Amino acid sequence: MNITIVDYNSGNISSVINSFSEVAKNNVNIEVTSDLNKIKSTDKVILPGVGSFNDCLNGLKSNKDLFYSLSTRVLKEGVPFLGICVGLQLLADYGHENIINTPGLGWLGGEVTKIYSENKNTKIPHMGWNSLLFDKEHKLTKKITSEDDMYFVHSFHIKLKDISDRLAYVNYSGELTAIVAKDNICGTQFHPEKSQKVGQIFIENFMNWSP
């Protein structure tokens, strides 16, 4: 199996590489690349994201050939796709970070808005460990329970148009989407690569996922 982590200058993704490689244990070929030929032939795609919605989106769309190949591979050919943190948020119709109504990829209906709380004791960004609450069972969440904590760090979150696309959420100033899955597309607001053992379980589930 070949898994491609898309390189589009989204920030330091060394922890993503290391965590996926550790789970793979040389049984899976994992490569960070923007090479179009490798993306066209890969078995699975991972889109990490570090920074703001606008910066990540501009970085991805600045390479039109990369953006076209990625869209074709995921939307038309159905390759399993995982977006992590901002990589998930980019799937929305619109983002409202820095610039209001910035068009996203539109692969999932919804918009990305700032986390808001009327409680002054609720700190923004949402940073640290939080337990998942599940909407339904799914192969991506196999062996993960509500007693397990994932690591989050974000000030913005995705508000889904269709809540049936949500697999899990966390309670933090209301319900914040934690995992989405629609057809061959999935995403996490948390960082599985920073979530230790339970994050590795999710990574393994993604590697074994055949939508």
Side-chain angles (χ1 to χ4, degrees):
M1 180 190 297
N2 295 309
I3 295 180
T4 296
I5 300 174
V6 180
D7 182 7
Y8 66 112
N9 299 317
S10 67
N12 183 6
I13 57 175
S14 60
S15 59
V16 178
I17 304 166
N18 293 338
S19 187
F20 274 77
S21 297
E22 183 177 349
V23 175
K25 296 179 180 178
N26 298 320
N27 294 321
V28 177
N29 179 42
I30 300 174
E31 190 168 5
V32 179
T33 185
S34 58
D35 187 299
L36 302 183
N37 290 325
K38 291 182 178 179
I39 290 174
K40 289 176 181 178
S41 62
T42 192
D43 298 303
K44 297 191 177 183
V45 174
I46 299 168
L47 186 71
V50 178
S52 72
F53 182 97
N54 306 76
D55 288 343
C56 287
L57 186 67
N58 290 335
L60 183 60
K61 288 190 172 182
S62 65
N63 186 335
K64 293 183 179 179
D65 291 333
L66 171 62
F67 175 71
Y68 176 78
S69 295
L70 184 62
S71 299
T72 299
R73 197 78 180 95
V74 175
L75 297 182
K76 293 184 179 180
E77 299 175 2
V79 67
F81 170 92
L82 168 63
I84 298 175
C85 196
V86 182
L88 158 64
Q89 296 178 6
L90 293 180
L91 304 180
D93 292 320
Y94 294 97
H96 304 295
E97 185 174 359
N98 299 329
I99 301 174
I100 297 176
N101 292 332
T102 301
L105 299 179
W107 295 1
L108 287 176
E111 57 183 345
V112 176
T113 63
K114 189 174 181 61
I115 300 172
Y116 173 76
S117 176
E118 295 181 349
N119 187 342
K120 295 181 179 180
N121 294 323
T122 301
K123 296 181 179 180
I124 309 297
H126 172 214
M127 181 182 297
W129 298 88
N130 208 333
S131 56
L132 303 179
L133 297 170
F134 296 93
D135 295 288
K136 52 189 173 183
E137 294 184 354
H138 196 279
K139 292 180 179 179
L140 288 167
T141 57
K142 183 180 178 181
K143 297 181 181 179
I144 301 175
T145 73
S146 57
E147 296 180 358
D148 296 315
D149 289 346
M150 297 293 194
Y151 185 80
F152 293 79
V153 53
H154 61 119
S155 299
F156 287 75
H157 69 115
I158 186 169
K159 288 186 174 181
L160 294 170
K161 184 177 182 179
D162 187 349
I163 200 66
S164 69
D165 293 335
R166 191 178 74 180
L167 297 186
Y169 63 97
V170 295
N171 272 327
Y172 194 86
S173 178
E175 295 182 0
L176 303 181
T177 295
I179 308 175
V180 302
K182 180 180 181 180
D183 300 326
N184 59 303
I185 297 171
C186 72
T188 65
Q189 183 60 68
F190 58 84
H191 289 268
E193 78 280 7
K194 296 182 180 180
S195 298
Q196 299 179 3
K197 185 176 180 180
V198 66
Q200 291 183 334
I201 293 174
F202 180 86
I203 291 171
E204 184 175 11
N205 288 343
F206 174 71
M207 289 182 177
N208 294 330
W209 185 42
S210 298

